[in-house]
Amino acid sequence: MSTIGVAASCSCLRPGVWLLKPGVQKMSCLGLHTAARCAAKDCYEVLVLGGGTGGITMSARMKRKVGAGNVAVVEPSKTHYYQPLWTLVGAGAKQLATSARPTESVMPQGVDWIKSRVTGLDPDENCVWLENDKKISYKYLIIALGISLHYEKIKGLPEGFHHPKIGSNYSVHTVEKTWRALQDFKEGNAIFTFPNTPVKCAGAPQKIMYLSEAYWRKTGKRSKANIMFNTSLGVIFGVKKYADALLEIIKERNIAVNYRRNLVEVRADKQEAVFENLDKPGVTEVHQYEMLHVTPPMGPPDVLINSPVSDEIGWVDVDTETLQHKKYPNVFGIGDCTNLPTSKTAAAIAAQSGVLDKTISMVMKNQLPTKKYDGYTSCPLVTGYNKVILAEFDYKAQPLETFPIDQSKERVTMYHMKADMMPLLYWNALLKGYWGGPAPFRKLMHLGLK
Ligand SMILES: Cc1cc2nc3c(=O)[nH]c(=O)nc-3n(C[C@H](O)[C@H](O)[C@H](O)COP(=O)(O)OP(=O)(O)OC[C@H]3O[C@@H](n4cnc5c(N)ncnc54)[C@H](O)[C@@H]3O)c2cc1C
């Protein structure tokens, strides 16, 4: 990273106004009072795009840095979801309602919530465009737009979801269908898919498979189910330590894994799923199903594709250690929409938020960012209704575990952490900008052993 000094100015600003120390400006950049909750301004010291996990977390942290009235979040959705709970909702272990809260209730008090969609970014002019052609300017921009789901890239979807026997934990509209299909299961193939694209929480496509297997065991239907994991990948999991543990479970529970198989069509009226063989172009296989769980293809949000802030695919192009944009020093990215080469999870966002907070502080002081993100991410691999393998790892796909125990073992304690503790931590600490990941605990835990 060469440049770090921010020469940017809000295009609506009087010259020199940014020489004021961040956080001590009493007036907005337009000289308007900023107490009103409804966005009435068109220029902010910190503008956050997206009010999901990363956006709300960073807006809470920025509020503490520059004052609530100088921060705004652009987010169209009235409801904020804690998506990691959907794995358990799809398996009937939690209610969907427990994963949802009004966006208003998670928006940090005093921060302006702009209820709109971003339609364009102009980082050379320090502004973004909204749906109604309104322009909003900023001094610092944080992009947290998440990842887009593309069910429509599979022939026969999304309309196929109107039929029974098919569900998907990845969308609020289809997660409860998974639970219905699981309960309706009588006899035949139960197929779980993994697409040929990056995904969020790469463990989730198989977590629901282990839960389904456990459910059918509990209800006496296991012998009637032929369970298959059809994955586009060539491995079960990207970190060897956890992959080895999962392969043991797969063997013990008599699950078939078909690698390099990509779902391309669903004929929901006939309960047929069509897969392409990624190693034999043009060769497809048709499987009858009694239950199908779809993990959809995913990609960057449309607004980021061909945007000046994005790489050639459409992910926000940030420095892997500081999360500062590689070309625009007053632009930052966090979470699923970035090209950070780690697994896209809320746990990763927690660690990223602590680093990004420090990076922005340094940039605001015209100093070089020093705190470095190591790629920390975590995936609680739910392998039953009371079992979890807690995978934690870094950019190098090396385990980076918090607890001084063998985390590749299935544990009841880790299940309770996933199902009961993590939601509390999410709503009460992460979204409020107080949880920067488990690194301090890891140090303490491991120190305690010395
Ligand atoms: C089934 C499932 C299981 C999961 N399990 C886990 C787990 O066990 N552990 C874990 O850590 N993570 C898990 N995750 C992943 C985790 O939920 C995500 O990685 C995390 O929520 C991503 O946060 P984000 O801020 O990047 O995106 P999001 O939280 O998705 O937020 C993006 C926001 O941007 C908004 N937006 C999009 N386009 C625009 C636009 N044009 N203008 C304005 N706003 C826009 C959206 O409305 C959304 O609110 C799971 C996810 C799923 C679906």
Side-chain angles (χ1 to χ4, degrees):
M1 176 66 49
S2 51
T3 22
I4 55 122
V6 176
S9 70
C10 254
S11 50
C12 57
L13 274 177
R14 296 186 308 277
V17 72
W18 294 119
L19 296 175
L20 289 169
K21 206 168 155 230
V24 297
Q25 286 169 263
K26 293 284 183 277
M27 304 280 271
S28 79
C29 45
L30 281 179
L32 298 172
H33 289 287
T34 58
R37 189 156 173 84
C38 266
K41 303 193 313 185
D42 57 13
C43 183
Y44 291 88
E45 181 151 355
V46 180
L47 182 64
V48 181
L49 306 183
T53 309
I56 295 295
T57 298
M58 286 315 297
S59 64
R61 286 176 178 267
M62 293 302 107
K63 170 182 166 176
R64 290 204 292 274
K65 214 176 283 298
V66 299
N70 295 316
V71 182
V73 179
V74 184
E75 168 59 56
S77 176
K78 286 192 188 128
T79 312
H80 180 106
Y81 292 99
Y82 176 54
Q83 301 167 43
L85 220 53
W86 292 350
T87 291
L88 302 179
V89 173
K94 291 272 180 187
Q95 294 292 315
L96 181 58
T98 62
S99 71
R101 292 205 181 164
T103 299
E104 174 132 41
S105 72
V106 296
M107 196 63 66
Q109 217 176 3
V111 163
D112 279 345
W113 172 19
I114 301 172
K115 297 171 190 146
S116 184
R117 298 187 74 80
V118 186
T119 54
L121 291 88
D122 188 349
D124 293 303
E125 294 296 326
N126 299 309
C127 69
V128 303
W129 296 92
L130 306 182
E131 272 172 330
N132 51 5
D133 280 339
K134 191 172 157 58
K135 184 170 118 174
I136 305 280
S137 300
Y138 58 82
K139 185 175 182 195
Y140 301 101
L141 181 71
I142 300 174
I143 307 174
L145 291 169
I147 192 168
S148 289
L149 307 178
H150 291 293
Y151 290 103
E152 80 289 351
K153 289 195 175 161
I154 298 167
K155 194 173 167 196
L157 296 184
E159 59 279 13
F161 284 112
H162 293 310
H163 291 261
K165 309 280 182 188
I166 170 170
S168 173
N169 286 357
Y170 273 84
S171 160
V172 66
H173 305 297
T174 54
V175 58
E176 289 174 304
K177 291 178 192 289
T178 307
W179 176 223
R180 229 163 289 145
L182 187 48
Q183 290 170 290
D184 283 355
F185 187 91
K186 292 191 176 55
E187 179 164 17
N189 290 335
I191 309 177
F192 300 82
T193 73
F194 191 113
N196 193 20
T197 64
V199 298
K200 51 180 151 185
C201 193
Q206 58 184 300
K207 296 179 198 177
I208 184 61
M209 174 174 73
Y210 303 122
L211 284 161
S212 302
E213 196 271 343
Y215 179 76
W216 293 321
R217 242 185 303 133
K218 203 166 59 182
T219 51
K221 290 181 186 166
R222 179 61 185 93
S223 60
K224 310 261 185 210
N226 177 33
I227 303 177
M228 276 184 233
F229 188 51
N230 279 14
T231 171
S232 295
L233 303 178
V235 292
I236 195 74
F237 198 74
V239 182
K240 188 170 179 317
K241 174 172 181 175
Y242 309 115
D244 289 347
L246 291 170
L247 287 173
E248 280 296 313
I249 291 169
I250 281 167
K251 198 164 130 201
E252 176 199 301
R253 296 184 199 166
N254 193 23
I255 293 170
V257 181
N258 300 311
Y259 293 107
R260 308 282 294 149
R261 298 298 192 280
N262 182 34
L263 180 68
V264 289
E265 183 179 353
V266 177
R267 300 168 189 155
D269 53 338
K270 296 194 229 158
Q271 290 174 219
E272 286 177 358
V274 184
F275 293 86
E276 64 177 342
N277 182 332
L278 294 170
D279 292 327
K280 295 184 186 154
V283 176
T284 55
E285 294 164 7
V286 182
H287 291 286
Q288 194 79 34
Y289 64 80
E290 169 65 6
M291 175 179 169
L292 178 66
H293 179 267
V294 179
T295 300
M298 301 179 206
D302 285 351
V303 68
L304 291 178
I305 295 172
N306 295 324
S307 155
V309 297
S310 304
D311 67 12
E312 62 286 358
I313 299 169
W315 307 113
V316 181
D317 196 14
V318 292
D319 182 88
T320 54
E321 292 184 332
T322 64
L323 279 66
Q324 188 178 26
H325 193 272
K326 286 184 187 157
K327 179 173 170 203
Y328 300 101
N330 61 331
V331 175
F332 309 87
I334 186 166
D336 295 356
C337 67
T338 63
N339 60 3
L340 294 168
T342 193
S343 183
K344 296 177 187 297
T345 66
I349 287 175
Q352 290 164 17
S353 69
V355 174
L356 184 52
D357 192 327
K358 296 266 167 24
T359 292
I360 294 177
S361 289
M362 299 301 271
V363 173
M364 282 176 168
K365 288 186 237 160
N366 260 338
Q367 291 174 5
L368 263 177
T370 47
K371 187 128 172 107
K372 292 180 178 172
Y373 175 53
D374 54 12
Y376 173 85
T377 189
S378 160
C379 186
L381 293 155
V382 185
T383 54
Y385 281 87
N386 61 355
K387 289 176 192 168
V388 157
I389 287 174
L390 183 62
E392 296 184 287
F393 49 98
D394 63 12
Y395 276 140
K396 294 184 210 131
Q398 290 306 310
L400 195 57
E401 300 183 340
T402 303
F403 303 98
I405 49 172
D406 181 0
Q407 289 187 200
S408 69
K409 283 210 157 66
E410 294 177 289
R411 290 181 195 271
V412 178
T413 43
M414 295 300 170
Y415 180 87
H416 288 300
M417 200 171 82
K418 152 86 188 163
D420 308 318
M421 226 188 91
M422 293 314 287
L424 289 175
L425 194 65
Y426 184 83
W427 299 114
N428 301 308
L430 179 67
L431 292 189
K432 295 193 182 334
Y434 293 120
W435 174 245
F441 296 93
R442 187 166 58 233
K443 276 187 201 134
L444 270 179
M445 291 269 183
H446 292 264
L447 256 181
L449 283 183
K450 286 187 183 162

